[in-house]
Short mmCIF file of all heavy atoms in Angstrom, two decimals:
data_model
loop_
_atom_site.label_atom_id
_atom_site.label_comp_id
_atom_site.label_asym_id
_atom_site.label_seq_id
_atom_site.Cartn_x
_atom_site.Cartn_y
_atom_site.Cartn_z
N PHE A 1 -6.53 -0.30 -63.89
CA PHE A 1 -5.19 -0.04 -63.59
C PHE A 1 -5.02 1.49 -63.36
O PHE A 1 -4.30 1.90 -62.49
CB PHE A 1 -4.37 -0.34 -64.89
CG PHE A 1 -2.80 -0.29 -64.70
CD1 PHE A 1 -2.04 -1.32 -64.19
CD2 PHE A 1 -2.23 0.94 -64.92
CE1 PHE A 1 -0.72 -1.15 -63.97
CE2 PHE A 1 -0.89 1.11 -64.80
CZ PHE A 1 -0.12 0.09 -64.22
N LYS A 2 -5.75 2.31 -64.18
CA LYS A 2 -5.63 3.74 -63.97
C LYS A 2 -6.24 4.29 -62.72
O LYS A 2 -5.83 5.11 -62.02
CB LYS A 2 -6.36 4.41 -65.21
CG LYS A 2 -6.18 5.98 -65.27
CD LYS A 2 -4.83 6.35 -65.77
CE LYS A 2 -4.77 7.80 -65.88
NZ LYS A 2 -3.37 8.32 -66.26
N VAL A 3 -7.46 3.65 -62.45
CA VAL A 3 -8.26 4.16 -61.27
C VAL A 3 -7.80 3.57 -59.95
O VAL A 3 -7.52 4.30 -58.96
CB VAL A 3 -9.78 3.88 -61.52
CG1 VAL A 3 -10.47 4.28 -60.26
CG2 VAL A 3 -10.24 4.62 -62.68
N LYS A 4 -7.61 2.24 -59.97
CA LYS A 4 -7.39 1.51 -58.69
C LYS A 4 -5.93 1.36 -58.49
O LYS A 4 -5.38 1.00 -57.25
CB LYS A 4 -8.11 0.14 -58.66
CG LYS A 4 -9.54 0.31 -58.70
CD LYS A 4 -10.10 0.68 -57.26
CE LYS A 4 -11.64 0.56 -57.06
NZ LYS A 4 -12.07 0.94 -55.81
N GLY A 5 -5.07 1.39 -59.44
CA GLY A 5 -3.65 1.17 -59.34
C GLY A 5 -3.22 -0.21 -59.92
O GLY A 5 -4.02 -1.06 -60.15
N GLY A 6 -1.95 -0.26 -60.24
CA GLY A 6 -1.38 -1.48 -60.93
C GLY A 6 -1.50 -2.76 -60.09
O GLY A 6 -1.76 -3.71 -60.63
N GLU A 7 -1.20 -2.70 -58.85
CA GLU A 7 -1.25 -3.78 -58.02
C GLU A 7 -2.63 -4.42 -57.90
O GLU A 7 -2.79 -5.59 -57.79
CB GLU A 7 -0.64 -3.55 -56.59
CG GLU A 7 0.75 -3.18 -56.67
CD GLU A 7 1.57 -4.03 -57.54
OE1 GLU A 7 1.68 -5.21 -57.37
OE2 GLU A 7 2.26 -3.55 -58.45
N PHE A 8 -3.65 -3.53 -57.70
CA PHE A 8 -5.05 -4.06 -57.73
C PHE A 8 -5.37 -4.74 -58.99
O PHE A 8 -6.00 -5.86 -58.87
CB PHE A 8 -6.03 -2.88 -57.43
CG PHE A 8 -7.45 -3.22 -57.36
CD1 PHE A 8 -8.00 -3.68 -56.10
CD2 PHE A 8 -8.26 -3.30 -58.46
CE1 PHE A 8 -9.34 -4.07 -55.99
CE2 PHE A 8 -9.57 -3.71 -58.39
CZ PHE A 8 -10.14 -4.12 -57.15
N ALA A 9 -4.96 -4.16 -60.08
CA ALA A 9 -5.33 -4.87 -61.45
C ALA A 9 -4.54 -6.18 -61.48
O ALA A 9 -5.09 -7.18 -61.98
CB ALA A 9 -4.85 -3.81 -62.61
N LYS A 10 -3.29 -6.25 -61.12
CA LYS A 10 -2.53 -7.45 -61.11
C LYS A 10 -3.17 -8.59 -60.35
O LYS A 10 -3.28 -9.65 -60.71
CB LYS A 10 -1.12 -7.26 -60.78
CG LYS A 10 -0.31 -6.51 -61.75
CD LYS A 10 1.13 -6.21 -61.19
CE LYS A 10 1.96 -5.45 -62.22
NZ LYS A 10 3.34 -5.14 -61.72
N ASP A 11 -3.57 -8.17 -59.09
CA ASP A 11 -4.20 -9.15 -58.19
C ASP A 11 -5.59 -9.64 -58.79
O ASP A 11 -5.86 -10.73 -58.71
CB ASP A 11 -4.58 -8.44 -56.84
CG ASP A 11 -3.38 -8.24 -56.03
OD1 ASP A 11 -2.33 -8.91 -56.23
OD2 ASP A 11 -3.36 -7.26 -55.20
N LEU A 12 -6.32 -8.80 -59.49
CA LEU A 12 -7.53 -9.20 -60.17
C LEU A 12 -7.24 -10.07 -61.41
O LEU A 12 -7.94 -11.23 -61.46
CB LEU A 12 -8.24 -7.90 -60.69
CG LEU A 12 -9.68 -8.15 -61.33
CD1 LEU A 12 -10.63 -8.77 -60.35
CD2 LEU A 12 -10.24 -6.85 -61.77
N ILE A 13 -6.34 -9.79 -62.17
CA ILE A 13 -5.93 -10.67 -63.31
C ILE A 13 -5.34 -12.09 -62.75
O ILE A 13 -5.70 -13.14 -63.22
CB ILE A 13 -4.82 -10.08 -64.12
CG1 ILE A 13 -5.45 -8.74 -64.84
CG2 ILE A 13 -4.39 -10.97 -65.31
CD1 ILE A 13 -4.46 -7.87 -65.60
N GLY A 14 -4.52 -11.91 -61.76
CA GLY A 14 -3.89 -13.20 -61.16
C GLY A 14 -4.94 -14.06 -60.51
O GLY A 14 -4.81 -15.32 -60.54
N GLY A 15 -5.93 -13.49 -59.93
CA GLY A 15 -7.08 -14.26 -59.45
C GLY A 15 -7.91 -15.06 -60.43
O GLY A 15 -8.52 -16.03 -60.22
N ILE A 16 -8.04 -14.33 -61.64
CA ILE A 16 -8.89 -14.91 -62.74
C ILE A 16 -8.00 -15.94 -63.53
O ILE A 16 -8.55 -17.02 -63.91
CB ILE A 16 -9.37 -13.81 -63.70
CG1 ILE A 16 -10.30 -12.84 -62.85
CG2 ILE A 16 -10.23 -14.41 -64.80
CD1 ILE A 16 -10.77 -11.70 -63.60
N ILE A 17 -6.81 -15.55 -63.83
CA ILE A 17 -6.05 -16.46 -64.79
C ILE A 17 -4.83 -16.90 -63.84
O ILE A 17 -3.93 -16.15 -63.56
CB ILE A 17 -5.48 -15.60 -65.96
CG1 ILE A 17 -6.62 -15.06 -66.66
CG2 ILE A 17 -4.67 -16.57 -66.89
CD1 ILE A 17 -6.19 -14.02 -67.75
N ARG A 18 -4.80 -18.14 -63.51
CA ARG A 18 -3.73 -18.75 -62.57
C ARG A 18 -2.33 -18.63 -63.12
O ARG A 18 -1.47 -18.35 -62.25
CB ARG A 18 -4.09 -20.15 -62.29
CG ARG A 18 -5.47 -20.39 -61.48
CD ARG A 18 -5.52 -21.75 -61.01
NE ARG A 18 -4.41 -22.26 -60.19
CZ ARG A 18 -4.33 -23.43 -59.69
NH1 ARG A 18 -5.17 -24.41 -59.99
NH2 ARG A 18 -3.27 -23.81 -58.89
N PRO A 19 -2.04 -18.87 -64.28
CA PRO A 19 -0.65 -18.65 -64.82
C PRO A 19 -0.15 -17.30 -64.57
O PRO A 19 0.99 -17.17 -64.08
CB PRO A 19 -0.60 -18.97 -66.22
CG PRO A 19 -1.82 -19.86 -66.40
CD PRO A 19 -2.85 -19.40 -65.45
N PHE A 20 -0.91 -16.24 -64.66
CA PHE A 20 -0.50 -14.89 -64.40
C PHE A 20 -0.32 -14.65 -62.92
O PHE A 20 0.52 -14.01 -62.45
CB PHE A 20 -1.58 -13.93 -65.03
CG PHE A 20 -1.44 -13.72 -66.44
CD1 PHE A 20 -2.26 -14.32 -67.32
CD2 PHE A 20 -0.42 -12.89 -67.01
CE1 PHE A 20 -2.17 -14.11 -68.75
CE2 PHE A 20 -0.27 -12.74 -68.40
CZ PHE A 20 -1.19 -13.43 -69.24
N GLY A 21 -1.21 -15.28 -62.13
CA GLY A 21 -1.11 -15.06 -60.61
C GLY A 21 0.22 -15.69 -60.16
O GLY A 21 0.87 -15.14 -59.33
N SER A 22 0.65 -16.92 -60.73
CA SER A 22 1.90 -17.52 -60.36
C SER A 22 3.01 -16.69 -60.79
O SER A 22 4.05 -16.47 -60.16
CB SER A 22 1.98 -18.86 -61.09
OG SER A 22 3.25 -19.45 -60.76
N LEU A 23 2.92 -15.94 -61.99
CA LEU A 23 3.93 -15.03 -62.44
C LEU A 23 4.10 -13.90 -61.61
O LEU A 23 5.22 -13.50 -61.25
CB LEU A 23 3.62 -14.63 -63.96
CG LEU A 23 4.50 -13.53 -64.53
CD1 LEU A 23 5.90 -14.05 -64.70
CD2 LEU A 23 4.02 -13.06 -65.89
N PHE A 24 3.06 -13.25 -61.15
CA PHE A 24 3.14 -12.08 -60.38
C PHE A 24 3.74 -12.39 -58.99
O PHE A 24 4.40 -11.62 -58.43
CB PHE A 24 1.67 -11.49 -60.26
CG PHE A 24 1.08 -10.87 -61.46
CD1 PHE A 24 -0.27 -10.95 -61.75
CD2 PHE A 24 1.95 -10.34 -62.41
CE1 PHE A 24 -0.74 -10.50 -62.93
CE2 PHE A 24 1.41 -9.86 -63.65
CZ PHE A 24 0.07 -9.93 -63.80
N GLN A 25 3.41 -13.60 -58.47
CA GLN A 25 4.04 -14.06 -57.19
C GLN A 25 5.57 -14.20 -57.32
O GLN A 25 6.28 -13.83 -56.45
CB GLN A 25 3.33 -15.34 -56.73
CG GLN A 25 2.01 -15.12 -56.19
CD GLN A 25 1.36 -16.43 -55.74
OE1 GLN A 25 1.97 -17.20 -54.98
NE2 GLN A 25 0.08 -16.65 -56.11
N THR A 26 5.99 -14.74 -58.41
CA THR A 26 7.47 -14.97 -58.72
C THR A 26 8.12 -13.58 -58.77
O THR A 26 9.17 -13.38 -58.24
CB THR A 26 7.64 -15.76 -59.93
OG1 THR A 26 6.99 -17.07 -59.90
CG2 THR A 26 9.11 -15.98 -60.19
N ILE A 27 7.44 -12.63 -59.51
CA ILE A 27 8.01 -11.34 -59.59
C ILE A 27 8.13 -10.66 -58.25
O ILE A 27 9.24 -10.01 -57.93
CB ILE A 27 7.20 -10.42 -60.59
CG1 ILE A 27 7.34 -10.93 -61.96
CG2 ILE A 27 7.55 -8.98 -60.46
CD1 ILE A 27 6.37 -10.18 -62.93
N SER A 28 7.13 -10.90 -57.35
CA SER A 28 7.11 -10.27 -56.04
C SER A 28 8.20 -10.89 -55.23
O SER A 28 8.90 -10.18 -54.53
CB SER A 28 5.74 -10.47 -55.36
OG SER A 28 4.75 -9.74 -55.97
#
């Protein structure tokens, strides 16, 4: 998150954990 940025970290988490990926898409 610190090095690559928040959106890169969110995309990485969302790709690994599907419920978080769905949550981030809803927020977007």
Side-chain angles (χ1 to χ4, degrees):
F1 185 93
K2 184 76 173 178
V3 175
K4 293 288 188 178
E7 297 314 307
F8 181 87
K10 288 179 182 178
D11 288 335
L12 184 60
I13 295 172
I16 298 173
I17 308 174
R18 289 190 63 184
F20 283 100
S22 176
L23 171 63
F24 294 147
Q25 288 182 43
T26 302
I27 292 174
S28 291

